[in-house]
Amino acid sequence: MATLTRLAVRSRAALDSLLVLHAQLVFSRNRWAGLCVLLAVCSVPRYALLGGVALLGASLAARGLGIGDGALYTPYGYSSLWVGYGIAHAYALDATSAAFALAAGGLCALLAAALTALVSYFGWLPVLSAPFMLTAWFGLGVAPQLPLRGAPPLEAASVWLIGAPSAEVAAALPAPVLRMFESLGMCVLLPTAAAGACILVALLVHS
C-alpha cells in the first residue's frame, strides 16, 4: 500500500510539473491553461513525442546536475519543450530525430544552469528563452550532418480531438481568423488552426 501511495504521489507530481511547464509557454502557471497548451501540441503527435523526449533529456541532465525537484520539472524547462517542438517542426519522427531531441533537451538544461549561474553575478536576472535560442543555434549547425528526414505538411498531420481533419476545418475559416489561429499556434512553433484554437482557450483560461 505504501508503495502504491508513493507511486501515486510521484505520478501526480509529474503530471503537475508537466502542466505547469506547458502553461509557462503562454506565461502562465495555471494547470488548466497548461492542459490546453498540451492539447495544442497533441494535435500533431510528433510534436508531443519529440517535445516529451526533449523534456526527458532536460530532466535527466538536471538530475545529473542536482537541480530540479526530481519529477519532470526542470528550471526553464519550457525551453527544452521549444527545442523539441522546433525539431518536430523541421523533421519527421524517427529514431534519429528522437535521439537528436534527447541530446538537445539535455544541452538546453545545461545551458540554462550555466546561464543562471552566470547572471547571478550581476544580480537576479532571468535567462528567459536564451537556453532555447543557444540550443537552436547549435542544432542548426549539427542537423545537416545527421540523417534527418524532412517533416510532412503540418495540416496533413494535424487533427482535432473530435476527429475532424484540421485541414478541412481550416479551409472553412475566413482568412483573417485562420491567420490569427496560426499566429497563436506559433507559441508552440505549431502554426495550425487546431493548435491556435487550443492556445486561445489557454489564454482565456489564464485571464
Side-chain angles (χ1 to χ4, degrees), residues 5 8 13 22 56 67 74-75 97 104 110-111 127 132 137 144 155-156 172 182 186 188 193:
T5 301
H22 281 84
L56 174 62
I67 59 178
T74 302
S97 62
L110 295 176
L111 288 172
V127 302
F132 160 68
W137 174 75
E155 289 291 359
E182 290 176 344
M186 281 305 295
V188 289

Side-chain angles (χ1 to χ4, degrees), residues 22 35-53 81 84-94 97 150-167 170 181-182 185-186 188-199:
H22 281 84
L35 178 61
C36 292
V37 175
L38 181 58
L39 291 177
V41 173
C42 288
S43 67
V44 177
R46 73 172 184 274
Y47 271 72
L49 292 171
L50 289 175
V53 169
L81 288 174
Y85 301 155
I87 294 172
H89 183 80
Y91 304 109
L93 175 64
D94 56 24
S97 62
L154 284 174
E155 289 291 359
S158 178
V159 296
W160 291 86
L161 297 181
I162 58 175
S166 179
F181 282 145
E182 290 176 344
M186 281 305 295
V188 289
L189 308 183
L190 182 49
T192 65
C198 292
I199 296 296

Side-chain angles (χ1 to χ4, degrees), residues 1-11:
M1 182 63 70
T3 301
L4 291 177
T5 301
R6 286 196 298 270
L7 180 60
V9 170
R10 290 181 179 178
S11 298

Side-chain angles (χ1 to χ4, degrees), residues 79-157:
S79 287
S80 64
L81 288 174
W82 270 329
V83 166
Y85 301 155
I87 294 172
H89 183 80
Y91 304 109
L93 175 64
D94 56 24
T96 303
S97 62
F100 188 32
L102 184 70
L107 174 63
C108 191
L110 295 176
L111 288 172
L115 289 172
T116 301
L118 178 63
V119 299
S120 68
Y121 289 102
F122 305 99
W124 190 88
L125 292 172
V127 302
L128 302 178
S129 60
F132 160 68
M133 293 186 290
L134 291 174
T135 304
W137 174 75
F138 174 79
L140 287 173
V142 172
Q145 314 305 319
L146 300 175
L148 295 164
R149 296 184 295 113
L154 284 174
E155 289 291 359

Side-chain angles (χ1 to χ4, degrees), residues 20-45:
V20 169
L21 285 172
H22 281 84
Q24 288 176 340
L25 295 174
V26 291
F27 308 102
S28 175
R29 292 185 64 84
N30 185 296
R31 274 65 172 172
W32 290 106
L35 178 61
C36 292
V37 175
L38 181 58
L39 291 177
V41 173
C42 288
S43 67
V44 177

